[in-house]
Amino acid sequence: MNGVNRGSPRVLHVAAEIYPLVKTGGLADVVAALPPALAEAGADVRLLLPGLPPILDAVQSARPVIDIGACFGALRVRLLLGRMPGTHLPVYVIDAPHLYRRDGGPYQARDGGEWPDNQRRFALLGWVAAHLAAADADVTWAPDVVHAHDWHAALACAYIADHLPTPAASVFTVHNLAFQGLFPHHDWTLLGLPSRFMAPSGLEFHGQLSFMKAGLKFADRVTTVSPSYAREIATHEFGCGLDGVIRGRAGEVAGILNGIDEAVWNPANDAALAARYDAERLDGKQACRQALQASLGLDLDDQSLLLTVVSRLTSQKGLDLVLAALPALVKDGVQLALQGTGEPALEAAFRMAEQMNPGRVRVHIGYDETRAHQLVAGADVIAVPSRFEPCGLTQMYGLRYGSLPLVRRVGGLGDTVRDGATGFVFDAATPDALVACVRRALALRTDPAAWQATMRRAMAQDLSWAGPAHEYLALYQQARQSRAESPRVATG
Ligand code: ADP
Ligand code: GLC
């Protein structure tokens, strides 16, 4: 391969969130678990994260690497290098107090409004990644591959494309095409990129500035988190206006299915559970189910089908279907336990459903990791009826815990759950289709031996990161070859 060393690559993962420090969704779980799996497979892996307070507090033995000074509206920017708690992987942290040290979420203030300077906050993240790639931020280590996650890190790909002497390749992973990082057109002047980047063939998107397009257009390889979603985003229905751009990259867009962190999600040693279990000793699962019913104040009913949901409450997740189906489901003997947070209208509707169905429906509006584990373990069935789902992790947690996933056939849900074999899959995004699917679960439940066999098949499914990590390593080689032979450039 021309000029590309086939040895273990040095890889820099760039992201805005990481479990357990900062998490708004599955992205954080992936960013915590994929890098150690790549290290296990032989890569030399480091992370680059913004210096949000929980990250600055937790990173161990951080020492300054370089004083960057004033940039992107921040008066003082420093790059630190420390170790991730738990994995001990090296992690670069950008300490930019003016941009990152604030209470609230990574993208939003406590009142739910986007931080008004997100374009600066995430341009800085990409810019530092590119300087690490160019070996001028840390003279002792530089990556062969920069792996940027979602729009927050996407600008790294444009900055690398702007600096042709950089040998590092870039890989961009789309975790969710619906969140694109759109800003007013005139903000492009803050980025420090040549004007040819701000063309429709670059970062311009219908008169706006799109961070997502920086990844889609300028990464040497684009990936998404399931094979089905990789196909779907090339269509008008799922492309969020970017399907033409995706189709333009044709063979350079790959779908690599996520794994799960089997150390964090393992019913055999999960400290959050009332009892531990595995496929050989399933008694503990029944104890988890009873403990969940008791702790939530649900009727202690062994005959009911206990259906749980752990989810962001947004239109993506299709939970309006559950609301519409609920009267029929409750009549059929289903109990629902839901934990989630998100759109106020959905929160209010689920609270109302709880009031109308005492003992049968319990709703916890909020975010709680421990209870999430209890809801996964205690369920007979865990529902993920999404309208679209790039991969989805909760159905995989369900498989691992023998809680049969009931999902819509879309994106990674259809790629991970086998209808009738490891869970239940329905097609139409309608309450009737959901009810019919739940009735198939109720029917299977009348045959305890068949139900247990299904649980055991689900629990035996390989969900580890080892396979995906090797797929990424192969993709990194392709990206490096592309960068060496035909680097991406802005044509204006
Ligand atoms: P997404 O990233 O689209 O939200 P995923 O299924 O990939 O969907 O990941 C969701 C992650 O967030 C899972 O780890 C899930 O357990 C967690 N999660 C979602 N809502 C909550 C909540 N209210 N409390 C605790 N964990 C939650
Ligand atoms: C996004 C997607 C979800 C996926 C997660 C991790 O948040 O919505 O489907 O599992 O990223 O890749």
Side-chain angles (χ1 to χ4, degrees), residues 22-90:
V22 176
K23 169 166 167 175
T24 69
L27 169 64
D29 292 3
V30 172
V31 173
L34 171 59
L38 288 165
E40 184 77 16
D44 175 2
V45 186
R46 297 189 178 192
L47 292 145
L48 172 67
L49 304 171
L52 306 168
I55 292 174
L56 279 175
D57 291 348
V59 167
Q60 294 159 346
S61 324
R63 60 170 176 82
V65 177
I66 187 171
D67 224 321
I68 296 171
C71 59
F72 293 98
L75 296 178
R76 180 162 186 229
V77 179
R78 291 183 314 155
L79 185 64
L80 312 175
L81 176 61
R83 300 245 161 213
M84 269 308 286
T87 63
H88 302 293
L89 282 185

Side-chain angles (χ1 to χ4, degrees), residues 23-27 29 176 258 265 310-312 316-317 339-341 364 366-369 372 376 389-395 397:
K23 169 166 167 175
T24 69
L27 169 64
D29 292 3
N176 194 334
N258 286 334
W265 292 94
V310 179
S311 182
R312 291 185 289 116
Q316 171 188 345
K317 299 296 178 179
Q339 172 167 282
T341 157
H364 181 253
Y367 194 95
D368 183 327
E369 284 285 340
V376 170
E389 196 61 74
C391 179
L393 297 176
T394 39
Q395 84 283 4
Y397 301 149

Side-chain angles (χ1 to χ4, degrees), residues 183-186 198 204-209:
F183 300 97
H185 189 280
H186 56 76
M198 200 50 203
E204 200 258 348
F205 182 65
H206 300 294
Q208 289 183 286
L209 160 64

